[in-house]
Amino acid sequence: MKIRTKIAMAFTLLTAIALLLLSVYVYFLTRQHLSGSFFTRLKVRTTIAAEIRFADLHGDLLSDLRERHLQRLPNEMDYFFDANNTLPAQVVAKLPELPASFAEEILESGSAETSIGFQHYTGILHQSAGDQYAVIVSAYDERGAEEISYLFNILAAGFSVGCLVVFLFGRVFAFHMMKPVAGIIAKVNTITASDLGERLPSGNGEDELAVMTGTFNNMLDRLETAFELQSNFISNASHELRTPLTAILGEAEVALQLPRSQEAYVRSLNTIQQEAHRLDEITTSLLRLSQISFDGRKQKIEPVMLDELLMSVKIDLDKRMPENNTRMLIQPVTDGAELFALTCVRVWMELAIVNIIQNGIKYSNNQEVLVTLSADSHHLLIQISDFGIGIPQEEMRHILEPFFRGSNTRRYEGHGIGLPLAARIVRLHGGQMDVVSNEGVGTLVTLKFPLTPDIKIR
Amino acid sequence: MNNILIPTSFEIDTLLALKVAAGLNDPRIKEVTLLRATPVSDSIMELLFPTAPEDKIKLKREQVFKMWAKHVEQNQLSFTHVKEHHQLALSKPILMQLLDRFSVELVIVPWSYQQSKDYTDRFMLRLLHECKTPLMLLPEEHETQVGIQRALFLDENVQAPLATIEHLPFHVIYQSMVRTSNMNSLKAMVDNLRINMLVLARGTEKKLLPLVANIGLPVLTV
């Protein structure tokens, strides 16, 4: 069953229950009211009948006057009995449809009333000339029967029509309510892997549907990013791997085309070796990048003093790249040196920091790279800035994709692995890496670690 | 950083404030609002029938926008969303509401505005000093073409608010980090570290602003 039918049915059922309860209440209340009103009239008639029957004078005259001038109730019948112990038997004999308890109630409380359908009975005790009599009058409530029947028909018709109308309105309401959902389903069906740029219309409201479309759109954003990342990674990786391979193949083909001198062969072999080394470097970097995620358990996690780590990085850089111009500044601390202690895999953290600093040195042509380390009671902050070529604004969103290289880095050696690797290491240590860059001005990389990191490599 | 507010009387250095905002090169900046506050007139007729701004301001305004458009075109800036807000009458609650409404995370005050003799401008400046929103006071002349890369936080007597500065789109260096090296004067530090902005903690402006006034760099109070 479709949801819109279920909604309409539920809507109709609820309304039907409410209508039914209301109808039953109105029906019984009206019937009780009509019956009460008829009993009042019947009781008066019983008293009149008793007074006339047992009047001392002109009993026939009064009876005649009553017949002629007082309106009789439909099917009105008077019954007179001696009020003694045999009254129940007398009543049952005369009026077999009445229960014996009716006569007993008259004897006990002086009056009684009962009804069978719309046939009503009233009985009273009457004293006359020292004797006691029981007077019972019965009549049929013709008007009450008609009114109740009419009311029943009205309520039944109203109930049926009401339910039908509510069901139809429920269908329309459910249709309108489900229309946006149907629209979303239709739109989602049109979105394919090759067309992930499409988004669901979010509408203007802040209702559950708007939240749902927002959630869908967020999911599509993530999917699109993942697809784009995958596609870029494959294209960049293929390009990076193909370049040295093409050089190796080309050099080998050229060398084999004609017999050459030994020096020429050595030159060719040297070129092939260089390109093979480059290929090896790329695949090693790639392997390391993938291992960072999976080999965490093999690494030693320990508290590392970041100020010491930075100093050792500086010493190492000075040895390997004597022309570098890296300046390290560390915030003086009064709370003890433990403030700079970070629980991490030392080798990885060093690799991440070295990669970022090397990028700064490389892309600023050995201009000054400034590294600062500061901390407060909650975070550790390492900031690395350079006056290099910067990153074009439109390429910023790709910088953490493996093998991606900025459009302004053509004349610099590199594979586009360093920064994604650093970002992954920082993330695995529960940290956060932010990059702010201004093309032609410089780049600032901020690494922020909580003092109690949520390390994801344990 | 979401939005930047520039209180202005449309002097020509409003353009400099806009260039500084653009030079921050922060993709989180969504828009810059130029705020012009004017006092409520004493004349009931002027209150009932407000007139257009006087011709002098109108001309200055047009000139600023014209030059900004030219600058955007010449430098191919993607950052172009500048809007204008005219505020009739000012009070602290009104300013707070404006800062909240425009989601302002940085206020840049041009030099001319800092020097203005106009009561409303001076009142606005005083209120801005009392707010928690970071406030950047521009010097009389400042070369902004290269953007702001490094800032020096004068933290000798105050605890550095790491949480506030870590989101700034430039490298903030604490003065205490450099104190041990052989850079004795502030000027030497600024030159040696290629600093293009000074940062002060709130509450230290009265003491430190006169000392840094001759450095000729923008001053950010956080």
Side-chain angles (χ1 to χ4, degrees):
Chain A
M1 191 188 282
K2 284 187 173 178
I3 289 180
R4 64 182 68 170
T5 314
K6 278 186 188 172
I7 291 172
M9 294 287 279
F11 211 55
T12 311
L13 187 68
L14 280 174
T15 315
I17 291 170
L19 274 178
L20 191 68
L21 288 175
L22 183 69
S23 301
V24 168
Y25 178 72
V26 168
Y27 179 84
F28 281 104
L29 209 67
T30 309
R31 183 159 181 168
Q32 202 177 4
H33 174 72
L34 289 172
S35 177
S37 161
F38 193 79
F39 269 126
T40 307
R41 291 173 66 196
L42 198 60
K43 207 167 180 177
V44 172
R45 301 291 299 181
T46 310
T47 310
I48 291 170
E51 292 286 342
I52 291 171
R53 173 68 186 263
F54 300 108
D56 292 339
L57 290 170
H58 310 297
D60 293 336
L61 180 64
L62 288 172
S63 184
D64 185 45
L65 281 170
R66 180 192 170 202
E67 287 299 324
R68 282 169 61 191
H69 298 291
L70 292 179
Q71 189 188 11
R72 287 187 76 84
L73 295 171
N75 292 340
E76 187 179 330
M77 300 292 286
D78 305 335
Y79 304 96
F80 303 93
F81 305 97
D82 292 327
N84 51 34
N85 291 339
T86 61
L87 181 65
Q90 291 176 62
V91 171
V92 169
K94 195 87 176 177
L95 299 161
E97 68 271 22
L98 287 180
S101 58
F102 179 74
E104 286 164 3
E105 194 184 339
I106 294 172
L107 287 174
E108 276 175 23
S109 55
S111 68
E113 52 187 43
T114 188
S115 54
I116 299 164
F118 288 94
Q119 184 74 29
H120 298 277
Y121 297 87
T122 304
I124 58 168
L125 286 178
H126 184 80
Q127 295 279 349
S128 180
D131 294 323
Q132 198 171 36
Y133 300 96
V135 182
I136 295 174
V137 175
S138 74
Y140 183 74
D141 187 6
E142 207 173 75
R143 194 168 159 237
E146 274 174 21
E147 284 185 7
I148 283 294
S149 167
Y150 183 62
L151 179 70
F152 180 83
N153 290 339
I154 287 175
L155 290 175
F159 176 77
S160 310
V161 173
C163 286
L164 187 68
V165 169
V166 166
F167 181 74
L168 292 174
F169 273 107
R171 288 280 297 178
V172 175
F173 173 75
F175 174 75
H176 281 286
M177 216 172 76
M178 298 305 289
K179 201 175 170 183
V181 177
I184 290 168
I185 293 167
K187 187 76 181 167
V188 169
N189 281 334
T190 63
I191 298 172
T192 59
S194 57
D195 190 21
L196 281 172
E198 287 284 325
R199 291 292 177 272
L200 302 175
S202 56
N204 301 321
E206 291 178 358
D207 55 8
E208 287 81 356
L209 282 174
V211 174
M212 192 177 80
T213 51
T215 311
F216 261 122
N217 285 340
N218 287 342
M219 190 187 72
L220 285 169
D221 284 344
R222 290 197 294 275
L223 270 177
E224 191 184 12
T225 311
F227 268 75
E228 204 178 325
L229 273 172
Q230 192 191 28
S231 153
N232 278 2
F233 173 77
I234 292 168
S235 118
N236 290 331
S238 320
H239 174 73
E240 287 295 325
L241 292 169
R242 270 186 75 90
T243 310
L245 267 177
T246 312
I248 290 168
L249 287 171
E251 194 65 38
E253 271 176 29
V254 170
L256 290 171
Q257 264 176 0
L258 292 169
R260 296 176 191 279
S261 64
Q262 193 180 349
E263 290 79 25
Y265 281 127
V266 169
R267 255 199 322 273
S268 294
L269 282 173
N270 273 335
T271 312
I272 289 170
Q273 192 188 26
Q274 273 176 12
E275 294 300 325
H277 273 306
R278 195 176 157 200
L279 197 60
D280 178 55
E281 214 173 281
I282 294 169
T283 45
T284 308
S285 303
L286 197 58
L287 199 63
R288 194 187 288 165
L289 186 68
S290 65
Q291 279 177 341
I292 287 291
S293 305
F294 302 109
D295 268 2
R297 287 166 205 277
K298 294 179 188 170
Q299 304 299 329
K300 189 181 171 190
I301 300 165
E302 58 188 341
V304 173
M305 300 305 296
L306 284 182
D307 49 348
E308 286 174 20
L309 182 77
L310 287 179
M311 285 307 151
S312 81
V313 166
K314 167 77 175 151
I315 292 165
D316 177 53
L317 281 172
D318 287 345
K319 277 183 197 161
R320 288 194 295 114
M321 306 166 80
E323 68 282 10
N324 89 84
N325 193 8
T326 307
R327 189 202 296 252
M328 303 273 184
L329 293 175
I330 293 162
Q331 187 185 23
V333 285
T334 49
D335 302 343
E338 298 81 37
L339 202 61
F340 293 134
L342 178 72
T343 308
C344 63
V345 180
R346 186 187 171 96
V347 187
W348 286 2
M349 195 49 68
E350 191 171 343
L351 182 69
I353 294 169
V354 166
N355 273 341
I356 299 167
I357 297 175
Q358 273 180 349
N359 277 352
I361 296 168
K362 183 166 64 179
Y363 294 119
S364 67
N365 299 312
N366 293 322
Q367 285 193 67
E368 184 186 86
V369 174
L370 180 67
V371 183
T372 56
L373 172 65
S374 47
D376 63 10
S377 50
H378 304 291
H379 293 99
L380 279 162
L381 203 69
I382 300 174
Q383 291 193 297
I384 301 160
S385 68
D386 64 65
F387 292 103
I389 56 172
I391 304 162
Q393 206 56 51
E394 62 278 9
E395 293 173 7
M396 283 295 289
R397 66 196 185 104
H398 296 296
I399 57 171
L400 299 184
E401 293 171 16
F403 291 115
F404 176 80
R405 301 201 68 212
S407 56
N408 54 350
T409 58
R410 303 271 182 259
R411 60 193 178 92
Y412 298 93
E413 279 281 320
H415 310 305
I417 299 279
L419 204 57
L421 188 65
R424 190 168 288 186
I425 290 170
V426 170
R427 216 168 33 237
L428 284 172
H429 286 88
Q432 189 184 329
M433 184 170 102
D434 289 321
V435 183
V436 179
S437 189
N438 204 342
E439 193 180 2
V441 179
T443 303
L444 166 67
V445 180
T446 303
L447 308 182
K448 182 181 165 191
F449 298 97
L451 276 188
T452 47
D454 173 24
I455 300 178
K456 299 173 178 67
I457 48 179
R458 285 179 194 280
Chain B
M1 195 172 290
N2 279 330
N3 296 327
I4 292 177
L5 185 82
I6 301 175
T8 180
S9 46
F10 290 107
E11 294 298 330
I12 199 67
D13 61 355
T14 304
L15 188 68
L16 185 69
L18 283 168
K19 285 181 185 175
V20 169
L24 291 174
N25 198 38
D26 188 340
R28 290 170 297 174
I29 299 173
K30 292 193 176 69
E31 64 181 22
V32 174
T33 305
L34 293 176
L35 175 65
R36 163 91 179 130
T38 46
V40 180
S41 172
D42 293 336
S43 156
I44 186 71
M45 291 308 287
E46 276 187 36
L47 282 173
L48 288 172
F49 306 103
T51 52
E54 61 271 40
D55 286 346
K56 200 176 163 188
I57 288 287
K58 204 173 161 184
L59 283 173
K60 281 186 198 171
R61 181 188 163 280
E62 279 171 6
Q63 195 183 5
V64 166
F65 276 102
K66 203 172 162 184
M67 289 173 79
W68 171 244
K70 198 174 166 187
H71 178 76
V72 168
E73 195 184 337
Q74 277 174 354
N75 294 280
Q76 294 180 330
L77 294 178
S78 55
F79 169 86
T80 54
H81 198 78
V82 177
K83 71 177 189 181
E84 199 184 345
H85 180 81
H86 193 103
Q87 179 62 42
L88 184 68
L90 191 71
S91 67
K92 191 165 183 177
I94 288 175
L95 184 66
M96 291 298 184
Q97 280 176 20
L98 285 175
L99 294 174
D100 187 47
R101 186 176 135 199
F102 295 135
S103 305
V104 175
E105 290 197 20
L106 176 68
V107 180
I108 300 177
V109 188
W111 171 257
S112 64
Y113 203 84
Q114 297 168 48
Q115 302 302 314
S116 174
K117 297 278 187 285
D118 183 84
Y119 173 76
T120 315
D121 295 348
R122 287 169 65 184
F123 181 56
M124 164 96 83
L125 196 60
R126 187 161 63 82
L127 292 180
L128 286 171
H129 272 289
E130 288 169 10
C131 296
K132 285 183 179 171
T133 315
L135 186 67
M136 189 190 287
L137 304 169
L138 294 184
E140 192 171 4
E141 284 177 17
H142 178 60
E143 183 51 62
T144 58
Q145 299 304 318
V146 292
I148 293 168
Q149 273 294 89
R150 287 182 183 175
L152 185 68
F153 190 100
L154 306 182
D155 69 331
E156 278 197 297
N157 299 317
V158 286
Q159 197 180 355
L162 202 62
T164 314
I165 62 149
E166 71 189 42
H167 299 297
L168 295 173
F170 35 81
H171 197 159
V172 179
I173 302 150
Y174 296 108
Q175 192 184 8
S176 56
M177 288 176 173
V178 202
R179 196 174 43 191
T180 48
S181 58
N182 55 0
M183 289 175 271
N184 297 323
S185 71
L186 187 60
K187 183 76 181 155
M189 279 184 207
V190 166
D191 292 341
N192 192 289
L193 292 166
R194 299 166 74 177
I195 298 292
N196 32 29
M197 181 185 282
L198 296 172
V199 183
L200 307 179
R202 276 282 152 88
T204 60
E205 307 104 299
K206 275 193 181 172
K207 183 185 161 195
L208 294 175
L209 269 177
L211 301 177
V212 299
N214 60 342
I215 303 287
L217 290 177
V219 177
L220 178 70
T221 56
V222 292

